[in-house]
Amino acid sequence: MLFAFICKDKPGHLQLRLDTRPEHVAFLNGLNDAGTLKFAGPFLDDDGKPCGSLVVVEATDKAAATEISGNDPFAKAGLFESVEVQPWNWVFNNPASA
């Protein structure tokens, strides 16, 4: 089952994002290597600067997805103002269904 993490950064925390990014990227690479990560990337503000994240993972249930989300170095560093973990159905342009 797929889950989307919709993460909003705390205002004024761009430097924390930049400082924590190497650990975050390593975390996502590990999820990718395990086949868990489907895709990810930052939301951008009006100035083109990152202000949040969209991450989609495969997990057995919402509890497992929530645990993955909580292990993200960005979450552990206190970057996020909010995180939603939502079940998600990839209907269009899903390479697995091609």
Side-chain angles (χ1 to χ4, degrees):
M1 185 170 200
L2 297 178
F3 293 88
F5 307 157
I6 304 161
C7 310
K8 182 178 178 184
D9 291 2
K10 292 176 182 171
H13 281 67
L14 178 59
Q15 191 60 52
L16 178 60
R17 173 179 273 275
L18 296 175
D19 292 345
T20 312
R21 188 173 185 279
E23 293 88 355
H24 169 73
V25 169
F27 173 75
L28 293 180
N29 281 331
L31 292 178
N32 190 50
D33 291 346
T36 302
L37 181 67
K38 297 306 172 190
F39 60 85
F43 290 113
L44 303 175
D45 66 15
D46 292 339
D47 296 323
K49 295 186 174 139
C51 62
S53 298
L54 173 63
V55 178
V56 175
V57 301
E58 187 168 359
T60 54
D61 55 29
K62 189 170 184 175
T66 300
E67 182 177 347
I68 294 167
S69 172
N71 286 326
D72 185 325
F74 279 169
K76 288 183 173 185
L79 175 63
F80 298 134
E81 177 178 82
S82 63
V83 177
E84 288 183 60
V85 178
Q86 294 289 324
W88 188 70
N89 185 17
W90 194 347
V91 176
F92 294 95
N93 296 325
N94 181 343
S97 63

